[in-house]
Amino acid sequence: MEQAKAWQGTTDGGSFGQRAMLVIFRYADVRLGYFIVALTVPFYMLGRRKNAGAIYRYFRQRHGYGRMRSLWSVYRNHCIFGNMLIDRFACYAGHAGRFRATIDGEPRFDRLTAGEDGFLMGSAHAGNFEMAGYLLQQDRKKIYGLIYEGEAAVMQQQREQILTRHRIGMIPVRDDLSHVFRMQQVLAEGDIICMPCDRRWGSAKAFRLPFLGGEADFPAGPFAVAAQLGKAMIAIFAMKTGAWSYTVHVRDLSDRLDRSLPVRQLAGQLAGRYAAALEEMLRRYPLQWFNFYDFWN
Amino acid sequence: MDRADIEKTINEFLVEEIEIEENLIRDDALLKNDLGIDSLDFVDIVVLVERNFGFKIKAEEMTDIRTLRQFYDYIEEKVNA
């Protein structure tokens, strides 16, 4: 296995800014926010040239865009990212019910939620994965998201209120390994663990896989957990399709998996299927990739 | 189960399942810093301990375990309780 690259950032916006956003979007339409984002993004891009540069290279090298198209796409990518943050704050402010969702792959999701076993949902920094939790309607199982302790305290606190309403819990990733035990307990109780599969979470081990015409390292953690514990795993991508609308794509990663294989090989197969599913999404929605660093080797 | 069997079983799964180099296995090795055991390996260890020794590791019981010797002691105590 390889060593996965680590994202070195934290969530932007201090506590005051986040509180202000909550107040504003309690009353304002998200489109007002989108308009403000469109005006402010160029300044943000200038201040975060390294991030913008990584996304520029993504468009040039992964999608083969020309220079001007790539520059314009970087701007649009940053706008969509800002719009998605506004959508999240609209949800925290109580407007989750206003979003319309189309679910692609719903029967598989419904079968898994109707069953007794817990399972894993792999997400990515593509689209708006947090929205999937609000948009996928089911009341049989609780969803637990792994979160990093680099998030601002107020964002966690505000998330907890809406997450509790939508039967979503949080498991913070800590050095004391408590999250490992909590994850196993959640799955044993028949609930769902949701985690991004494009950022490492306590282990540097990774699978090096073909991805969008190059090679990239995908952290082994989520796939190894699914393989070792014998749990089903799906990939979930909530892709923005308009103001107040998303399409949630569900992809079954463990369908017809040969469970007689050794755990490491099983995990590798799951990872390969995940990378293929993520590539499918980025070919359909190239503007919605939000790993603002050089993801490829 | 005697101490020698416990150590042998643990060492075998550390080498074969967790893929730790055999020359790193020694009593005073630090689990995290010397053996490189991370939270992903811990998922495997919890499952392997249950399979080989018949009990589930509890999070609070692991907080003070830093070295391999301490881990052997912990398993021996649980198995022979």
Side-chain angles (χ1 to χ4, degrees):
Chain A
M1 275 188 210
E2 315 294 340
Q3 298 284 310
K5 286 184 187 184
W7 170 63
Q8 303 294 337
T10 54
T11 305
D12 275 340
S15 298
F16 175 76
Q18 289 166 17
R19 284 199 184 92
M21 295 270 276
L22 279 169
V23 170
I24 290 167
F25 290 106
R26 198 162 287 153
Y27 306 106
D29 190 284
V30 291
R31 281 168 286 200
L32 171 64
Y34 297 173
F35 175 71
I36 294 170
V37 162
L39 297 177
T40 54
V41 151
F43 301 100
Y44 183 83
M45 283 166 58
L46 281 172
R48 296 281 177 135
R49 275 190 286 263
K50 201 171 156 190
N51 295 359
I55 294 293
Y56 175 81
R57 284 186 289 281
Y58 157 75
F59 286 116
R60 288 278 282 158
Q61 293 166 7
R62 300 300 135 214
H63 292 284
Y65 291 1
R67 287 197 183 91
M68 292 312 295
R69 188 178 177 191
S70 296
L71 276 172
W72 176 238
S73 297
V74 171
Y75 170 74
R76 292 179 67 202
N77 164 272
H78 280 60
C79 283
I80 294 172
F81 183 70
N83 293 350
M84 287 184 177
L85 287 179
I86 285 167
D87 290 349
R88 286 192 211 169
F89 277 97
C91 287
Y92 304 157
H95 298 301
R98 286 187 65 179
F99 286 91
R100 297 180 307 278
T102 304
I103 316 292
D104 160 33
E106 195 164 18
R108 181 57 176 148
F109 181 74
D110 288 347
R111 270 201 302 279
L112 283 171
T113 53
E116 296 299 319
D117 284 346
F119 61 92
L120 286 100
M121 294 202 308
S123 59
H125 291 77
N128 198 349
F129 66 85
E130 190 172 324
M131 293 296 289
Y134 314 138
L135 299 172
L136 286 168
Q137 303 286 331
Q138 60 88 26
D139 56 10
R140 285 207 58 185
K141 294 181 186 293
K142 199 163 173 185
I143 301 176
Y144 289 85
L146 276 191
I147 61 163
Y148 301 92
E149 294 213 288
E151 302 284 350
V154 71
M155 197 155 175
Q156 285 187 26
Q157 188 190 44
Q158 290 306 325
R159 269 177 176 165
E160 272 183 79
Q161 290 168 17
I162 182 179
L163 298 182
T164 303
R165 252 182 273 144
H166 288 264
R167 292 174 53 77
I168 302 173
M170 294 194 290
I171 301 176
V173 176
R174 295 198 173 115
D175 282 342
D176 66 1
L177 304 177
S178 55
H179 59 284
V180 171
F181 294 94
R182 187 74 186 105
M183 284 168 62
Q184 292 184 310
Q185 184 187 10
V186 162
L187 290 169
E189 288 171 356
D191 288 322
I192 305 168
I193 300 274
C194 182
M195 61 175 93
C197 296
D198 57 352
R199 298 267 175 95
R200 72 179 196 202
W201 54 276
S203 172
K205 296 185 180 76
F207 292 106
R208 182 157 292 173
L209 297 165
F211 181 54
L212 275 175
E215 277 194 336
D217 291 337
F218 287 85
F223 312 107
V225 169
Q228 181 63 270
L229 301 180
K231 298 298 178 191
M233 187 169 184
I234 57 176
I236 292 271
F237 306 102
M239 310 309 282
K240 191 164 176 63
T241 48
W244 300 109
S245 74
Y246 282 80
T247 297
V248 181
H249 297 275
V250 179
R251 293 291 177 266
D252 189 347
L253 303 182
S254 49
D255 185 35
R256 282 187 279 260
L257 209 57
D258 181 0
R259 295 236 174 236
S260 67
L261 289 173
V263 166
R264 291 276 184 265
Q265 259 185 274
L266 260 181
Q269 281 205 354
L270 286 169
R273 291 177 180 195
Y274 171 82
L278 181 56
E279 177 163 338
E280 180 205 339
M281 289 301 118
L282 293 179
R283 292 217 181 274
R284 287 170 77 165
Y285 307 90
L287 296 174
Q288 296 189 41
W289 173 247
F290 304 119
N291 276 312
F292 295 108
Y293 62 97
D294 285 307
F295 191 80
W296 281 261
N297 297 319
Chain B
M1 207 176 198
D2 70 19
R3 177 71 176 221
D5 287 336
I6 289 171
E7 289 188 15
K8 183 170 178 283
T9 305
I10 291 172
N11 293 348
E12 272 173 5
F13 78 57
L14 286 178
V15 170
E16 287 165 18
E17 304 283 346
I18 312 294
E19 296 174 353
I20 292 170
E21 288 175 29
E22 207 163 350
N23 61 323
L24 295 177
I25 306 284
R26 55 178 205 280
D27 282 11
D28 62 346
L30 292 166
L31 297 177
K32 201 171 160 185
N33 295 349
D34 295 332
L35 303 183
I37 289 174
D38 59 27
S39 56
L40 175 58
D41 296 323
F42 226 78
V43 174
D44 290 345
I45 287 172
V46 169
V47 171
L48 292 165
V49 162
E50 192 173 0
R51 201 180 294 157
N52 285 280
F53 299 110
F55 72 92
K56 240 185 175 62
I57 295 178
K58 291 194 180 106
E60 57 273 19
E61 291 171 346
M62 291 300 298
T63 44
D64 295 326
I65 295 175
R66 301 268 182 272
T67 67
L68 193 48
R69 183 183 295 117
Q70 287 171 328
F71 189 57
Y72 296 148
D73 293 343
Y74 165 73
I75 301 287
E76 187 182 22
E77 191 186 313
K78 296 294 275 188
V79 163
N80 295 324

